[in-house]
Amino acid sequence: MKISEVRELSTSDLKEKLYSLKEQLFELRRKKAVGTLERGEDVITVRRDIARVNMVLRERELSENK
């Protein structure tokens, strides 16, 4: 997911996306612990997506306060 795609989403969509990404990360970590995770880089990708969503949410929060 690119940052331009994240910025196009509304705030409520971003919060829903964040929730689904956190669920996805939980499942990936569970699979990693069990040993059934095929692609380890998926964890890194999801973590980066979570960071992008959090960054855009924070940018919007700061712009509202000004």
Side-chain angles (χ1 to χ4, degrees):
M1 174 177 258
K2 294 185 178 183
I3 192 70
S4 59
E5 296 171 357
V6 174
R7 286 197 169 112
E8 291 175 359
L9 298 173
S10 68
T11 303
S12 61
D13 289 339
L14 284 174
K15 289 180 182 180
E16 290 175 14
K17 184 72 174 171
L18 182 62
Y19 182 77
S20 68
L21 285 169
K22 285 184 178 183
E23 284 182 336
Q24 187 178 358
L25 181 62
F26 176 78
E27 287 299 317
L28 289 171
R29 285 182 174 165
R30 185 186 60 79
K31 286 181 181 179
K32 185 176 180 181
V34 173
T36 60
L37 184 63
E38 294 178 8
R39 294 179 34 152
E41 61 269 10
D42 288 343
V43 175
I44 296 169
T45 304
V46 171
R47 288 180 63 210
R48 287 182 181 163
D49 288 343
I50 290 172
R52 286 184 185 106
V53 171
N54 279 330
M55 182 183 69
V56 172
L57 284 171
R58 182 69 177 151
E59 285 175 349
R60 290 182 184 178
E61 180 183 323
L62 291 174
S63 68
E64 289 175 2
N65 290 338
K66 286 187 176 183

XYZ file of all heavy atoms in Angstrom:
547
model
N 0.846 -1.174 0.000
C 0.000 0.000 0.000
C 0.893 1.239 0.000
O 1.749 1.405 0.854
C -0.886 -0.035 1.249
C -1.715 1.178 1.447
S -2.787 1.020 2.863
C -4.287 0.657 2.039
N 0.672 2.097 -0.963
C 1.480 3.300 -1.091
C 0.878 4.420 -0.244
O -0.308 4.419 0.060
C 1.559 3.731 -2.537
C 2.294 2.757 -3.417
C 2.437 3.287 -4.803
C 3.217 2.309 -5.652
N 3.447 2.815 -6.995
N 1.720 5.392 0.112
C 1.278 6.496 0.949
C 0.212 7.328 0.237
O -0.703 7.855 0.878
C 2.474 7.358 1.412
C 2.057 8.335 2.512
C 3.088 8.086 0.259
C 1.750 7.687 3.811
N 0.296 7.434 -1.077
C -0.720 8.191 -1.821
C -2.086 7.507 -1.716
O -3.112 8.185 -1.637
C -0.308 8.343 -3.277
O -0.145 7.084 -3.890
N -2.098 6.185 -1.704
C -3.351 5.447 -1.538
C -3.927 5.668 -0.143
O -5.139 5.773 0.026
C -3.118 3.958 -1.768
C -2.698 3.605 -3.169
C -2.276 2.156 -3.301
O -2.260 1.435 -2.279
O -1.955 1.728 -4.421
N -3.052 5.736 0.849
C -3.503 5.928 2.229
C -4.098 7.321 2.402
O -5.130 7.489 3.045
C -2.328 5.711 3.209
C -2.739 6.037 4.632
C -1.829 4.283 3.121
N -3.471 8.320 1.800
C -3.945 9.695 1.948
C -5.284 9.927 1.278
O -6.007 10.845 1.634
C -2.910 10.662 1.399
C -1.713 10.780 2.315
C -0.885 12.009 2.006
N 0.080 12.225 3.058
C 1.386 12.103 2.915
N 1.890 11.762 1.748
N 2.190 12.317 3.930
N -5.646 9.104 0.293
C -6.925 9.245 -0.387
C -8.105 8.754 0.460
O -9.238 9.149 0.220
C -6.902 8.471 -1.709
C -5.992 9.078 -2.748
C -5.885 8.235 -4.000
O -6.508 7.148 -4.046
O -5.180 8.644 -4.927
N -7.838 7.930 1.453
C -8.907 7.373 2.287
C -9.405 8.394 3.302
O -8.654 9.260 3.747
C -8.407 6.126 3.019
C -7.975 4.945 2.151
C -7.352 3.872 3.029
C -9.150 4.381 1.383
N -10.665 8.259 3.679
C -11.215 9.130 4.715
C -10.716 8.662 6.081
O -10.169 7.567 6.219
C -12.742 9.097 4.675
O -13.212 7.824 5.079
N -10.938 9.477 7.087
C -10.461 9.156 8.431
C -11.123 7.895 8.967
O -10.464 7.049 9.569
C -10.716 10.339 9.379
O -10.076 11.501 8.835
C -10.145 10.075 10.755
N -12.421 7.752 8.741
C -13.103 6.549 9.225
C -12.605 5.303 8.490
O -12.441 4.234 9.094
C -14.613 6.687 9.071
O -14.954 6.863 7.720
N -12.332 5.444 7.192
C -11.777 4.322 6.441
C -10.389 3.960 6.943
O -10.019 2.784 6.994
C -11.711 4.642 4.949
C -13.073 4.691 4.291
O -14.024 4.107 4.848
O -13.185 5.319 3.214
N -9.612 4.967 7.315
C -8.272 4.713 7.844
C -8.331 3.951 9.161
O -7.527 3.046 9.392
C -7.517 6.023 8.037
C -6.972 6.682 6.776
C -6.372 8.033 7.114
C -5.946 5.799 6.113
N -9.287 4.311 9.999
C -9.416 3.606 11.282
C -9.832 2.153 11.066
O -9.340 1.254 11.751
C -10.408 4.339 12.176
C -9.851 5.656 12.677
C -10.823 6.376 13.561
C -10.235 7.713 14.007
N -11.135 8.472 14.876
N -10.708 1.916 10.104
C -11.103 0.545 9.780
C -9.921 -0.228 9.195
O -9.703 -1.393 9.527
C -12.259 0.549 8.787
C -13.562 1.031 9.360
C -14.661 1.142 8.317
O -14.488 0.600 7.200
O -15.686 1.760 8.623
N -9.166 0.430 8.342
C -7.993 -0.202 7.731
C -6.956 -0.541 8.796
O -6.356 -1.623 8.758
C -7.396 0.744 6.687
C -6.248 0.174 5.926
C -6.719 -0.867 4.961
C -5.578 -1.334 4.080
N -5.955 -2.499 3.284
N -6.768 0.353 9.754
C -5.825 0.120 10.837
C -6.231 -1.102 11.653
O -5.402 -1.948 11.986
C -5.726 1.358 11.735
C -4.746 1.300 12.884
C -3.330 1.122 12.365
C -4.858 2.550 13.725
N -7.519 -1.216 11.938
C -8.022 -2.359 12.704
C -7.775 -3.667 11.941
O -7.290 -4.648 12.517
C -9.512 -2.176 13.002
C -10.098 -3.278 13.831
C -9.878 -3.337 15.202
C -10.869 -4.281 13.239
C -10.414 -4.356 15.969
C -11.404 -5.302 13.999
C -11.178 -5.335 15.361
O -11.706 -6.364 16.111
N -8.079 -3.665 10.651
C -7.891 -4.887 9.871
C -6.410 -5.241 9.727
O -6.043 -6.425 9.737
C -8.549 -4.761 8.496
O -7.885 -3.818 7.710
N -5.553 -4.230 9.607
C -4.120 -4.496 9.525
C -3.582 -5.075 10.827
O -2.734 -5.974 10.812
C -3.355 -3.220 9.172
C -3.454 -2.756 7.722
C -2.872 -1.356 7.580
C -2.762 -3.724 6.792
N -4.078 -4.590 11.960
C -3.639 -5.132 13.241
C -4.092 -6.579 13.409
O -3.354 -7.413 13.951
C -4.149 -4.266 14.389
C -3.387 -2.966 14.511
C -3.830 -2.161 15.707
C -3.016 -0.896 15.828
N -3.379 -0.114 17.019
N -5.304 -6.889 12.934
C -5.766 -8.278 12.967
C -4.894 -9.157 12.080
O -4.529 -10.275 12.456
C -7.217 -8.376 12.496
C -8.234 -7.919 13.489
C -9.649 -8.087 12.977
O -9.855 -8.124 11.744
O -10.556 -8.205 13.818
N -4.561 -8.639 10.906
C -3.723 -9.379 9.981
C -2.343 -9.623 10.573
O -1.783 -10.717 10.451
C -3.613 -8.599 8.675
C -2.911 -9.326 7.567
C -2.882 -8.506 6.284
O -3.425 -7.405 6.210
N -2.236 -9.030 5.279
N -1.788 -8.619 11.244
C -0.485 -8.766 11.887
C -0.535 -9.815 12.987
O 0.374 -10.627 13.132
C -0.013 -7.424 12.452
C 1.350 -7.411 13.129
C 2.444 -7.793 12.138
C 1.630 -6.049 13.733
N -1.619 -9.828 13.744
C -1.780 -10.831 14.798
C -1.771 -12.238 14.204
O -1.099 -13.134 14.723
C -3.084 -10.581 15.563
C -3.369 -11.622 16.603
C -2.721 -11.601 17.823
C -4.285 -12.632 16.348
C -2.974 -12.564 18.778
C -4.547 -13.604 17.293
C -3.893 -13.573 18.514
N -2.504 -12.427 13.114
C -2.556 -13.740 12.469
C -1.190 -14.149 11.927
O -0.789 -15.317 12.040
C -3.589 -13.749 11.342
C -5.015 -13.761 11.833
C -5.335 -14.985 12.670
O -4.931 -16.106 12.293
O -5.995 -14.820 13.715
N -0.472 -13.202 11.346
C 0.863 -13.506 10.827
C 1.818 -13.884 11.954
O 2.618 -14.816 11.814
C 1.413 -12.320 10.037
C 0.752 -12.037 8.699
C 1.252 -10.713 8.130
C 1.006 -13.166 7.714
N 1.731 -13.187 13.063
C 2.599 -13.515 14.206
C 2.250 -14.883 14.775
O 3.132 -15.629 15.199
C 2.480 -12.439 15.284
C 3.201 -11.186 14.935
C 3.092 -10.164 16.043
N 3.897 -9.002 15.757
C 3.773 -7.852 16.394
N 2.876 -7.720 17.351
N 4.540 -6.827 16.083
N 0.956 -15.192 14.782
C 0.526 -16.511 15.276
C 1.083 -17.602 14.362
O 1.622 -18.604 14.830
C -0.995 -16.596 15.328
C -1.518 -17.880 15.943
C -3.025 -17.997 15.848
N -3.499 -17.971 14.478
C -3.457 -19.024 13.640
N -2.942 -20.165 14.039
N -3.930 -18.922 12.420
N 0.971 -17.410 13.054
C 1.498 -18.383 12.106
C 3.015 -18.526 12.237
O 3.554 -19.623 12.122
C 1.154 -17.983 10.675
C -0.292 -18.197 10.320
C -0.555 -17.801 8.899
C -2.017 -17.992 8.536
N -2.282 -17.586 7.145
N 3.688 -17.413 12.501
C 5.138 -17.461 12.664
C 5.512 -18.274 13.899
O 6.464 -19.060 13.879
C 5.693 -16.046 12.773
C 7.195 -15.976 12.825
C 7.687 -14.541 12.846
C 9.180 -14.481 12.885
N 9.685 -13.108 12.931
N 4.747 -18.118 14.969
C 5.027 -18.844 16.201
C 4.792 -20.342 16.029
O 5.535 -21.165 16.572
C 4.161 -18.301 17.336
N 3.760 -20.679 15.257
C 3.436 -22.082 15.031
C 4.394 -22.712 14.017
O 4.654 -23.903 14.050
C 1.962 -22.222 14.557
C 1.633 -23.627 14.158
C 1.022 -21.740 15.636
N 4.900 -21.878 13.130
C 5.838 -22.371 12.134
C 5.217 -22.600 10.773
O 5.802 -23.279 9.937
N 4.033 -22.052 10.533
C 3.363 -22.249 9.245
C 3.425 -21.011 8.350
O 2.794 -21.002 7.299
C 1.882 -22.630 9.463
O 1.227 -21.578 10.166
C 1.766 -23.917 10.241
N 4.183 -20.014 8.748
C 4.304 -18.800 7.950
C 5.242 -19.061 6.780
O 6.394 -19.456 6.964
C 4.830 -17.643 8.804
C 4.914 -16.285 8.132
C 3.533 -15.808 7.727
C 5.568 -15.277 9.055
N 4.730 -18.849 5.569
C 5.525 -19.132 4.383
C 6.432 -17.965 4.009
O 7.580 -18.160 3.627
C 4.613 -19.463 3.211
C 3.836 -20.739 3.404
C 2.894 -21.020 2.257
O 2.947 -20.297 1.248
O 2.091 -21.957 2.386
N 5.899 -16.739 4.095
C 6.671 -15.560 3.700
C 6.874 -14.662 4.919
O 5.964 -13.983 5.358
C 5.947 -14.781 2.617
C 5.839 -15.528 1.310
C 5.096 -14.743 0.295
N 5.357 -13.313 0.464
C 5.307 -12.436 -0.517
N 4.993 -12.811 -1.716
N 5.543 -11.164 -0.285
N 8.065 -14.631 5.441
C 8.362 -13.834 6.622
C 8.299 -12.345 6.374
O 8.046 -11.556 7.283
N 8.508 -11.930 5.108
C 8.478 -10.502 4.806
C 7.066 -9.928 4.860
O 6.895 -8.708 4.848
C 9.124 -10.211 3.458
C 8.455 -10.867 2.278
C 9.020 -12.231 1.923
O 9.825 -12.778 2.695
O 8.649 -12.743 0.873
N 6.045 -10.787 4.922
C 4.672 -10.295 5.053
C 4.486 -9.534 6.365
O 3.743 -8.562 6.422
C 3.669 -11.453 4.982
C 3.542 -12.013 3.584
O 3.965 -11.336 2.624
O 3.008 -13.128 3.451
N 5.155 -9.976 7.418
C 5.069 -9.294 8.712
C 5.621 -7.880 8.584
O 5.020 -6.919 9.071
C 5.840 -10.090 9.795
C 5.866 -9.325 11.112
C 5.234 -11.465 9.989
N 6.731 -7.738 7.900
C 7.352 -6.430 7.721
C 6.455 -5.515 6.896
O 6.273 -4.332 7.216
C 8.733 -6.582 7.055
C 9.666 -7.373 7.974
C 9.336 -5.234 6.695
C 10.947 -7.807 7.324
N 5.855 -6.062 5.853
C 4.979 -5.277 4.986
C 3.771 -4.755 5.747
O 3.406 -3.580 5.618
C 4.512 -6.134 3.791
O 5.653 -6.636 3.109
C 3.673 -5.322 2.838
N 3.163 -5.601 6.554
C 1.986 -5.188 7.325
C 2.380 -4.148 8.368
O 1.652 -3.171 8.573
C 1.309 -6.417 7.972
C 0.224 -5.990 8.934
C 0.730 -7.331 6.903
N 3.527 -4.318 9.005
C 3.972 -3.335 9.987
C 4.202 -1.971 9.336
O 3.874 -0.935 9.923
C 5.254 -3.806 10.678
C 4.998 -4.957 11.648
C 6.256 -5.416 12.333
N 6.797 -4.336 13.133
C 8.098 -4.184 13.379
N 8.974 -5.022 12.890
N 8.517 -3.186 14.118
N 4.743 -1.963 8.142
C 4.962 -0.701 7.432
C 3.641 -0.049 7.047
O 3.500 1.175 7.123
C 5.820 -0.926 6.195
C 7.261 -1.183 6.544
C 8.106 -1.347 5.320
N 9.494 -1.608 5.717
C 10.408 -2.106 4.917
N 10.098 -2.399 3.672
N 11.624 -2.315 5.346
N 2.674 -0.867 6.637
C 1.350 -0.332 6.309
C 0.690 0.285 7.542
O 0.064 1.346 7.464
C 0.454 -1.417 5.716
C 0.857 -1.804 4.307
O 1.601 -1.026 3.660
O 0.425 -2.879 3.843
N 0.835 -0.372 8.686
C 0.295 0.170 9.936
C 0.950 1.512 10.246
O 0.276 2.474 10.637
C 0.488 -0.825 11.098
C -0.431 -2.034 10.911
C 0.238 -0.171 12.454
C -0.193 -3.163 11.890
N 2.244 1.600 10.055
C 2.968 2.848 10.311
C 2.494 3.962 9.378
O 2.325 5.108 9.803
C 4.466 2.624 10.158
N 2.250 3.630 8.116
C 1.763 4.631 7.166
C 0.391 5.155 7.576
O 0.136 6.360 7.545
C 1.693 4.036 5.767
C 3.020 3.850 5.119
C 2.873 3.349 3.692
N 4.167 3.068 3.121
C 4.644 1.838 2.917
N 3.911 0.785 3.202
N 5.837 1.672 2.403
N -0.503 4.245 7.962
C -1.845 4.658 8.369
C -1.773 5.526 9.617
O -2.433 6.566 9.705
C -2.755 3.426 8.592
C -4.066 3.819 9.226
C -2.997 2.699 7.274
N -0.967 5.111 10.591
C -0.821 5.905 11.814
C -0.247 7.287 11.517
O -0.666 8.280 12.118
C 0.074 5.181 12.817
C -0.668 4.129 13.588
O -1.866 4.248 13.822
N 0.034 3.091 13.984
N 0.691 7.370 10.583
C 1.287 8.654 10.231
C 0.252 9.597 9.630
O 0.173 10.768 10.012
C 2.431 8.453 9.240
C 3.132 9.749 8.879
S 4.421 9.542 7.651
C 3.469 9.159 6.203
N -0.569 9.101 8.722
C -1.577 9.941 8.090
C -2.631 10.364 9.109
O -3.071 11.522 9.118
C -2.217 9.214 6.885
C -3.393 9.992 6.345
C -1.175 9.001 5.799
N -3.022 9.461 10.003
C -3.984 9.825 11.045
C -3.417 10.922 11.944
O -4.117 11.868 12.307
C -4.356 8.598 11.879
C -5.315 7.609 11.233
C -5.423 6.347 12.080
C -6.678 8.224 11.026
N -2.150 10.818 12.287
C -1.508 11.830 13.131
C -1.393 13.161 12.394
O -1.601 14.222 12.994
C -0.128 11.324 13.560
C 0.614 12.273 14.469
C -0.031 12.376 15.819
N 0.793 13.245 16.641
C 0.333 13.988 17.615
N -0.946 13.957 17.924
N 1.130 14.757 18.300
N -1.063 13.131 11.102
C -0.986 14.364 10.313
C -2.334 15.083 10.310
O -2.397 16.310 10.466
C -0.591 14.052 8.876
C 0.849 13.710 8.670
C 1.154 13.295 7.235
O 0.207 13.072 6.450
O 2.341 13.189 6.911
N -3.384 14.322 10.135
C -4.721 14.919 10.117
C -5.103 15.477 11.483
O -5.724 16.525 11.570
C -5.744 13.888 9.652
C -5.590 13.567 8.200
C -6.618 12.606 7.715
N -6.355 12.272 6.324
C -7.072 11.399 5.619
N -8.091 10.787 6.190
N -6.767 11.157 4.370
N -4.711 14.768 12.519
C -5.004 15.244 13.878
C -4.281 16.565 14.141
O -4.865 17.501 14.711
C -4.552 14.185 14.883
C -4.782 14.547 16.324
C -4.244 13.485 17.254
O -4.352 12.290 16.929
O -3.713 13.858 18.324
N -3.039 16.668 13.741
C -2.275 17.898 13.951
C -2.798 19.044 13.106
O -2.789 20.194 13.540
C -0.801 17.651 13.661
C -0.066 16.745 14.646
C 1.348 16.471 14.165
C -0.047 17.339 16.036
N -3.240 18.756 11.895
C -3.764 19.817 11.035
C -5.094 20.345 11.548
O -5.421 21.509 11.342
C -3.895 19.339 9.598
O -4.905 18.362 9.489
N -5.874 19.511 12.228
C -7.140 19.965 12.818
C -6.910 20.890 13.994
O -7.687 21.805 14.249
C -7.968 18.765 13.277
C -8.555 17.952 12.159
C -9.259 16.705 12.664
O -9.329 16.497 13.893
O -9.749 15.938 11.813
N -5.828 20.692 14.728
C -5.535 21.475 15.913
C -5.007 22.869 15.577
O -5.010 23.753 16.414
C -4.533 20.741 16.812
C -5.153 19.537 17.460
O -6.370 19.434 17.593
N -4.327 18.600 17.867
N -4.532 23.072 14.373
C -3.979 24.377 14.006
C -5.042 25.378 13.675
O -6.108 25.242 13.395
C -3.018 24.233 12.824
C -1.734 23.621 13.239
C -0.754 23.651 12.102
C 0.582 23.106 12.589
N 1.585 23.177 11.566
